[in-house]
Amino acid sequence: MNPDFTHAGYRDLLGNLLSRGYEVRSYEDADPDARHLILRHDVDMSLKAAEAIAAIENELGLRSYYFVLLRTELYNLYSEASKRSLERILVLGHEIGLHLDASLYGNDPASLEEAAEKECRILEDISGATVSAISFHRPAESLLGYDRLLAGRPHAYQPKFFKQMGYCSDSRGAWHHGHPLENEAVQQDRALQLLTHPIWWSPKAAEQVQSRLDRFARERYELLRQELGRNCTVYDPSRTS
Ligand SMILES: [Zn+2]
């Protein structure tokens, strides 16, 4: 159990960093040696969960990055519901970035560049906003510290953001590499890239990873049944066979 993996816990975490003198910055203007904070969210599963986190940051006057996937089985960026989520995140003052699954492309620099350009173009068309940064989804070891811009844009695993400044992630629903406030860079008043995945931060009580994802799966299953009913008049989503 992670008692701080709630919306209130996230708000407290940000409040704590701000009270230590941290300022939220963009990938363009973050200085590794200053008390600068890059707020990054990789939206692997749920845009709805991302909206809630975006609202909390907006209340605190903070601007962050929501990196979204184009090629995933878990959500459809072209759907009406996704479009509304993207609009909401943008209205709340945040950036939409590209979350690129590089494993779907050749891993030579030219293929990666071509994929990044193409996906950024599509994402800008969908979101109606400029895509100014990229993060890799579940990157191969070879991409950690990959020191090139992608499609002319900074990416989150460049050495500046991944090695020169502190890096902390809530991957798999826990601080497997230490709590952000105990991060060496934070202890030394240096910059931090804080990666969180909105799905892990529950509205009220913190949940175990397994039950959180089971709840998410049940909600998606219910949505799927409703959509089947809307698309096939002889199907009754309230009945099971
Ligand atoms: Zn991801």
Side-chain angles (χ1 to χ4, degrees):
M1 182 73 79
N2 295 289
D4 61 347
F5 275 54
T6 58
H7 288 175
Y10 184 65
R11 191 190 298 268
D12 285 350
L13 173 61
L14 295 181
N16 217 313
L17 287 162
L18 296 176
S19 70
R20 288 172 190 231
Y22 274 84
E23 283 174 26
V24 172
R25 293 296 177 102
S26 68
Y27 282 94
E28 282 81 12
D29 66 6
D31 173 357
D33 294 320
R35 274 179 292 197
H36 288 168
L37 177 63
I38 296 177
L39 293 176
R40 162 185 166 199
H41 307 281
D42 286 356
V43 184
D44 287 349
M45 296 168 194
S46 167
L47 281 158
K48 216 61 206 158
E51 279 186 59
I53 297 295
I56 292 169
E57 291 164 338
N58 174 270
E59 282 166 24
L60 295 171
L62 305 177
R63 186 179 173 87
S64 71
Y65 290 86
Y66 288 83
F67 290 95
V68 297
L69 288 160
L70 279 178
R71 300 185 63 189
T72 174
E73 305 298 333
L74 293 176
Y75 57 85
N76 168 14
L77 219 47
Y78 258 118
S79 74
E80 264 307 294
S82 295
K83 188 165 168 271
R84 281 196 298 274
S85 290
L86 291 179
E87 281 169 4
R88 174 99 179 113
I89 290 168
L90 288 168
V91 162
L92 290 167
H94 305 295
E95 295 255 343
I96 300 292
L98 174 68
H99 199 31
L100 178 66
D101 186 349
S103 72
L104 300 171
Y105 301 95
N107 59 4
D108 57 294
S111 302
L112 213 51
E113 182 68 13
E114 191 184 337
E117 265 177 30
K118 184 175 174 185
E119 290 207 10
C120 281
R121 214 166 40 239
I122 296 170
L123 179 54
E124 287 185 337
D125 182 52
I126 294 173
S127 69
T130 303
V131 171
S132 66
I134 296 172
S135 76
F136 290 119
H137 174 60
R138 305 183 66 199
E141 201 73 30
S142 59
L143 293 175
L144 304 177
Y146 182 75
D147 198 11
R148 292 168 80 139
L149 295 177
L150 280 171
R153 296 159 172 94
H155 74 86
Y157 292 99
Q158 282 180 260
K160 180 179 174 185
F161 312 117
F162 189 60
K163 294 199 165 81
Q164 291 171 30
M165 61 177 69
Y167 176 82
C168 200
S169 161
D170 67 349
S171 293
R172 292 168 282 130
W175 302 119
H176 288 290
H177 302 286
H179 192 280
L181 298 177
E182 285 153 19
N183 188 281
E184 190 181 284
V186 174
Q187 298 289 319
Q188 297 170 350
D189 294 333
R190 292 189 293 109
L192 178 72
Q193 176 181 194
L194 179 62
L195 164 59
T196 54
H197 298 75
I199 191 84
W200 302 134
W201 299 79
S202 298
K204 291 193 173 74
E207 294 169 278
Q208 299 282 2
V209 166
Q210 180 72 30
S211 37
R212 174 68 187 99
L213 294 187
D214 277 342
R215 182 162 68 84
F216 174 64
R218 280 194 300 274
E219 288 164 4
R220 293 302 304 269
Y221 176 63
E222 195 43 49
L223 180 69
L224 177 61
R225 290 173 60 90
Q226 297 298 329
E227 284 299 307
L228 288 172
R230 271 163 36 91
N231 284 275
C232 178
T233 53
V234 294
Y235 179 74
D236 179 357
S238 67
R239 283 178 48 209
T240 46
S241 57

